[in-house]
């Protein structure tokens, strides 16, 4: 067991996890990073990243994460492409289970992120990153003077649609019902925007696209009316899923404090969870900003919090 004991284990490998690994490695904490089922996090399904500081001409999402990984490993972080299947925070050292292996650790940084909810249809998977997105603030810029669809009926959908009107010529909100979960103020704001239209009682059955100059592009969608079952083709250059996010916190239930939707709760102004020695960074604890740069920022905070905590307990 001793060889599987570490000062710090980081669970998750998006911008939060890898930034935490970089800072922790430079502090000689010899962190182990378990990268999980989606190494690199959500950025690995993002093609062009233009709003991450330091890359004047933009960078591909997977390339950015690869650079972050190499930078952390350069200072001694050890990244392992394994998935954590269970944890026990009831006593120290903590226990982290990875398939049939067991590790112990003095501290843990949780950076498991949140996953966008998707429709789950094959054509959606085909065009992810090529006109199908779940982040308007990440990808809206690419749709200047184009028509886009926003799928959803809650505050997220209204917010994404309103934001997209800064770029798109027309935004159609597609919702399966004629009533909306969105708050009154968000719905009214969307309705007052001349660029926004509503397609109600409709669901996306298929996303349409083609190959153009060797690259996949979205051309529209087939919508099915939920009342009479009829189908209609609508033209669109981009489709934004706004049906919510789900934090990846299933294995921490019953051990860490969460809000009603499963996001980890941290102490104000820090990354401390309700358990001493366990810290949370990135989208797993952030349902407001959800940006690569804010995730990286909290990853830095978590590493510094962990370092100070370990030093206070003479474990560093």
């Amino acid at each position: 067991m001793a060889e599987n004991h570490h000062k710090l284990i980081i669970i998750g490998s998006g911008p939060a996890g890898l930034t935490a690994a970089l800072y922790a490695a430079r502090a000689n904490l010899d962190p182990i990073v378990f990268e999980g089922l989606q190494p690199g996090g959500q950025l690995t399904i993002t093609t062009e990243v233009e709003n991450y500081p330091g890359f004047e001409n933009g960078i591909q999402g997977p390339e950015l994460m690869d650079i972050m990984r190499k930078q952390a490993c350069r200072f001694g972080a050890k990244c392992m492409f394994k998935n954590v299947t269970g944890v026990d925070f009831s006593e120290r050292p903590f226990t982290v289970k990875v398939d049939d292996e067991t590790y112990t650790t003095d501290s843990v940084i949780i950076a498991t992120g949140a996953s966008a909810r998707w429709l789950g249809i094959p054509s959606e998977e085909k065009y992810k990153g090529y006109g199908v997105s779940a982040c308007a603030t990440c990808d809206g810029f690419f749709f200047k003077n184009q028509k886009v669809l926003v799928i959803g009926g809650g505050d997220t959908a209204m917010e994404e649609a309103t934001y997209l009107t800064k770029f798109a010529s027309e935004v159609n909100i597609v919702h399966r019902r004629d009533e909306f979960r969105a708050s009154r103020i968000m719905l009214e704001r969307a309705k007052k925007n001349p660029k926004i239209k509503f397609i109600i009682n409709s669901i996306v059955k298929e996303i349409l696209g083609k190959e153009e100059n060797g690259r996949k592009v979205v051309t529209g969608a087939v919508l099915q009316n939920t009342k009479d079952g009829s189908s209609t083709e609508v033209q669109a250059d981009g489709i934004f899923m706004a049906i919510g996010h789900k934090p990846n916190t299933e294995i921490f239930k019953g051990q860490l404090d969460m809000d009603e939707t499963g996001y980890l709760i941290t102490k104000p102004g820090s990354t401390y969870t309700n358990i001493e020695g366990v810290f949370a960074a990135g989208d797993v604890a952030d349902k407001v900003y959800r940006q690569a740069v804010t995730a990286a920022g909290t990853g830095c905070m978590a590493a510094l919090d962990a370092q100070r905590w370990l030093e206070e307990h003479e474990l560093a």
Side-chain angles (χ1 to χ4, degrees), residues 35-93:
E35 297 224 20
L37 295 174
Q38 191 178 39
Q42 291 187 76
L43 277 191
T44 56
I45 58 168
T46 304
T47 48
E48 196 76 25
V49 179
E50 291 197 326
N51 57 2
Y52 198 88
F55 297 93
E56 179 188 0
N57 298 310
I59 185 170
Q60 296 289 304
E63 184 186 358
L64 176 60
M65 299 321 299
D66 195 44
I67 290 170
M68 283 191 179
R69 182 182 295 108
K70 287 174 179 174
Q71 190 177 7
C73 291
R74 178 186 158 212
F75 290 102
K78 187 176 181 183
C79 292
M80 302 174 75
F81 296 101
K82 295 183 177 182
N83 188 44
V84 172
T85 54
V87 295
D88 184 356
F89 297 147
S90 63
E91 58 181 5
R92 288 204 297 266

Side-chain angles (χ1 to χ4, degrees), residues 7-299:
K7 296 176 195 172
L8 172 64
I9 285 178
I10 298 167
I11 306 173
S13 61
L18 293 176
T19 302
L22 169 62
Y23 274 78
R26 293 186 77 250
N28 294 322
L29 296 180
D30 303 316
I32 298 290
V33 182
F34 290 119
E35 297 224 20
L37 295 174
Q38 191 178 39
Q42 291 187 76
L43 277 191
T44 56
I45 58 168
T46 304
T47 48
E48 196 76 25
V49 179
E50 291 197 326
N51 57 2
Y52 198 88
F55 297 93
E56 179 188 0
N57 298 310
I59 185 170
Q60 296 289 304
E63 184 186 358
L64 176 60
M65 299 321 299
D66 195 44
I67 290 170
M68 283 191 179
R69 182 182 295 108
K70 287 174 179 174
Q71 190 177 7
C73 291
R74 178 186 158 212
F75 290 102
K78 187 176 181 183
C79 292
M80 302 174 75
F81 296 101
K82 295 183 177 182
N83 188 44
V84 172
T85 54
V87 295
D88 184 356
F89 297 147
S90 63
E91 58 181 5
R92 288 204 297 266
F94 304 125
T95 301
V96 175
K97 292 187 177 178
V98 182
D99 295 324
D100 56 352
E101 296 178 284
T102 299
Y103 293 76
T104 59
T105 182
D106 298 316
S107 60
V108 174
I109 292 174
I110 297 168
T112 48
S115 301
R117 296 183 190 275
W118 299 92
L119 299 176
I121 55 177
S123 53
E124 172 187 61
E125 194 65 36
K126 181 179 178 179
Y127 291 103
K128 266 185 194 176
Y130 298 96
V132 173
S133 171
C135 180
T137 52
C138 309
D139 300 324
F141 178 81
F142 300 112
F143 295 92
K144 282 186 174 178
N145 303 314
Q146 297 184 61
K147 291 183 178 181
V148 299
L149 302 180
V150 173
I151 316 303
D155 279 354
T156 300
M158 302 307 142
E159 192 174 345
E160 299 269 275
T162 302
Y163 178 83
L164 286 165
T165 60
K166 295 181 179 182
F167 311 102
S169 58
E170 182 181 307
V171 179
N172 280 294
I173 296 175
V174 179
H175 186 43
R176 61 172 53 242
R177 293 183 292 274
D178 54 7
E179 293 181 357
F180 294 87
R181 298 186 314 278
S183 60
R184 190 178 213 169
I185 188 168
M186 293 296 288
L187 183 59
E188 286 305 312
R189 189 176 297 163
K191 285 182 174 178
K192 286 177 182 176
N193 193 310
K195 282 190 177 182
I196 295 177
K197 296 175 182 175
F198 291 83
I199 303 174
I200 57 172
N201 297 321
S202 296
I203 58 173
V204 177
K205 290 298 289 181
E206 186 182 358
I207 292 166
L208 306 173
K210 63 181 181 181
E211 291 271 341
E212 195 173 81
N213 300 321
R215 182 182 173 89
K216 290 181 283 191
V217 294
V218 165
T219 58
V222 176
L223 303 183
Q224 184 179 60
N225 188 287
T226 55
K227 296 281 190 184
D228 60 22
S230 62
S231 294
T232 312
E233 276 191 25
V234 294
Q235 186 263 321
D237 303 292
I239 299 176
F240 289 83
M241 303 302 162
I243 50 180
H245 284 75
K246 185 179 185 296
N248 302 317
T249 54
E250 202 65 36
I251 62 171
F252 310 115
K253 283 185 176 171
Q255 300 191 68
L256 295 176
D257 288 348
M258 306 177 185
D259 70 7
E260 68 281 355
T261 50
Y263 285 87
L264 297 183
I265 296 171
T266 53
K267 295 179 181 177
S270 79
T271 61
Y272 280 74
T273 67
N274 59 298
I275 294 180
E276 286 278 314
V278 180
F279 309 88
D283 289 13
V284 76
D286 170 24
K287 60 182 177 184
V288 178
Y289 301 105
R290 296 201 306 265
Q291 298 297 302
V293 70
T294 51
T298 56

